[in-house]
Amino acid sequence: MVQVAVCGPADATGGELTHAWRVGELLAERGVTVLCGGGGGVMAAVAGGARSRAGLVIGVRPDDGRDPRPAADVSATVVTNMGQARNAILVWSADAVIAVGGSWGTLSEVALALRRGGIPVVTLGGWRVVDATGVPVVGPVHADTPEEAVRAALAAPAPPPSGD
């Protein structure tokens, strides 16, 4: 079973929500298990899209699980009570990572996935990481549409692990 983590801001734009919903649909149609943070925004949208296609969605929560109103419609929840450190659990559990949009938490997930190495990391809108001279860093694949993002996540050869 292939597992793809979909990351993105809880405070998402309408375009990010639309993209995340479609990414969820496309992944579920391919039989992929979707991993997300289990919260609102992009996380809720990708879960909704996947569940609309009878997909399996696992939410990896940063809290203690006591919130009676889960933000995302997930199939199952992993409660970590680790705050943002749960981002490492999310990306280490994935065979690929798709970041939709951008926030500081999303950037940390992209960085952790690139640092891990060995898996495709795709950005759909949001962050574009460049070096000190403005040249894009090697690693993340940039996509312009949900279809491109899913295709890249499932077909791209994995980059080598980070040297640092």
Side-chain angles (χ1 to χ4, degrees):
M1 169 87 44
V2 175
Q3 298 186 151
V4 174
V6 180
C7 309
D11 185 18
T13 67
E16 291 166 345
L17 296 174
T18 299
H19 280 157
W21 184 278
R22 183 68 179 138
V23 166
E25 290 176 333
L26 293 166
L27 291 171
E29 288 168 0
R30 288 160 178 77
V32 172
T33 297
V34 173
L35 306 175
C36 72
V42 164
M43 298 168 281
V46 74
R51 299 279 282 162
S52 77
R53 298 291 197 266
L56 178 62
V57 182
I58 308 299
V60 181
R61 298 289 304 153
D63 54 24
D64 65 5
R66 293 184 188 173
D67 188 346
R69 327 168 301 272
D73 178 22
V74 297
S75 308
T77 302
V78 175
V79 174
T80 68
N81 203 27
M82 295 179 67
Q84 293 301 307
R86 75 79 151 65
N87 293 353
I89 295 167
L90 185 63
V91 302
W92 272 96
S93 299
D95 299 305
V97 173
I98 298 174
V100 179
S103 65
W104 290 115
T106 307
L107 181 59
S108 76
E109 290 159 326
V110 168
L112 287 167
L114 290 170
R115 221 16 230 230
R116 170 189 168 187
I119 62 169
V121 179
V122 182
T123 60
L124 177 57
W127 294 103
R128 291 195 180 245
V129 183
V130 297
D131 68 16
T133 65
V135 175
V137 297
V138 176
V141 174
H142 301 286
D144 293 319
T145 67
E147 291 77 10
E148 286 178 17
V150 169
R151 187 169 39 256
L154 299 179
S162 171
D164 295 0

